Amino acid sequence: MDFHILKNASEGVGRNVEDSLILALDFPNKEEVHTFLTPFGDEKLFVKVGMELFYKEGPKMIEEIKSMGHHIFLDLKLHDIPVTVKRAMSSLASLEVDLVNVHALGGKAMMEGALEGLEAGTRSGKARPKCIAVTQLTSSTEEMVRTEQLGSVSLQQSVEHLAGLTNEAGLDGVVCSVHEVERIHELVRPDFLTVTPGIRLLGDNAHDQHRVATPAIAREKGSNFIVVGRSITRAENPVEAYGKVQKEWRGITS
Ligand code: C5P
């Protein structure tokens, strides 16, 4: 797909207005995916396939979703030694998805390896999938950085450092929380992609997410893509919830 970034006049940061709501297909099998997608009819979506679904259904699921005309973020969050990630990314490139990711905590050499693998595995004439890195999971807290990762810096500093490292490795952007977007665009570069999960409509349950925000706040802060799962997938009427999130995200008030 074309990741043409439109300038957001009011905030001066990149925004892809057409395809920038990524719907997380966090389902255990293809039957549930089909049941979920059917009411959306012919609408072309940008969906996220994560570990749960990919480990069960494999690359066939990707082919199926692509044949429906949807864009795909394959969210497998690779984290291993550089050569393994490089080879894995070369295999993933053959699936011709739009977006893939790694954990920035795997290090700069690993991220460079990811990019090399993607380039090597992309068929000539095809676009290399964009590659982004997870900084800190949106389920992470200040306390976890301190006591579990033994970090001597704040969560915010850790995220900012990892975003800089990701840029140095040549990747296209990061997964981060909405609250970190402005600072990352300021520190790294305005067109560095920020993909933000942890999105909730007002009144929704946050579940296991700690750093959450509404689509309107994500828009205000300049997120390039929002990733929305349970606020839509667990809604009584997912199509209606999708419309509601989309409207708020795009700033449509009527
Ligand atoms: O249901 P919810 O909207 O919380 O889903 C968020 C999705 O984004 C999940 O699929 C989760 O794995 C993913 N994600 C995340 N935080 C990250 C990276 C990915 O929540 N840092």
Side-chain angles (χ1 to χ4, degrees), residues 50-235:
M51 300 179 204
E52 181 184 10
L53 185 59
F54 190 76
Y55 291 160
K56 175 71 179 14
E57 303 292 354
K60 269 215 151 42
M61 188 77 241
I62 300 295
E63 279 166 34
E64 255 179 63
I65 296 173
K66 271 169 60 95
S67 74
M68 297 174 206
H70 304 311
H71 293 302
I72 303 179
F73 169 19
L74 185 53
D75 177 23
L76 299 181
K77 300 187 183 72
L78 274 61
H79 188 165
D80 208 319
I81 58 171
V83 68
T84 302
V85 169
K86 180 177 169 179
R87 289 177 184 160
M89 280 300 187
S90 180
S91 297
L92 290 183
S94 69
L95 299 179
E96 296 178 5
V97 296
D98 302 282
L99 188 60
V100 293
N101 63 353
V102 295
H103 268 289
L105 282 165
K108 192 173 162 195
M110 187 207 75
M111 290 193 272
E112 287 168 344
L115 217 49
E116 282 169 28
L118 281 175
E119 271 155 14
T122 301
R123 276 199 299 154
S124 85
K126 295 282 177 181
R128 163 180 75 71
K130 296 278 177 194
C131 187
I132 57 176
V134 176
T135 51
Q136 289 282 351
L137 292 166
T138 37
S139 57
S140 295
T141 62
E142 205 71 60
E143 166 86 2
M144 283 164 69
V145 172
R146 211 176 40 248
T147 61
E148 297 181 15
Q149 299 175 12
L150 286 188
S152 56
V153 295
S154 68
L155 176 69
Q156 175 80 20
Q157 284 170 308
S158 169
V159 168
E160 289 171 12
H161 170 70
L162 291 169
L165 195 70
T166 303
N167 186 41
E168 280 172 33
L171 268 58
D172 303 291
V174 284
V175 185
C176 63
S177 93
V178 166
H179 309 290
E180 292 136 11
V181 167
E182 275 179 310
R183 191 77 184 121
I184 288 173
H185 279 144
E186 217 175 87
L187 280 177
V188 181
R189 53 186 159 94
D191 60 347
F192 195 54
L193 296 177
T194 52
V195 178
T196 57
I199 302 294
R200 293 291 183 273
L201 288 166
L202 274 184
D204 278 355
N205 188 332
H207 301 104
D208 53 350
Q209 300 280 24
H210 290 296
R211 292 159 24 243
V212 297
T214 62
I217 293 175
R219 175 188 170 79
E220 225 178 87
K221 301 281 184 191
S223 290
N224 300 106
F225 293 82
I226 54 171
V227 178
V228 189
R230 287 163 289 189
S231 278
I232 294 173
T233 56
R234 303 280 173 89

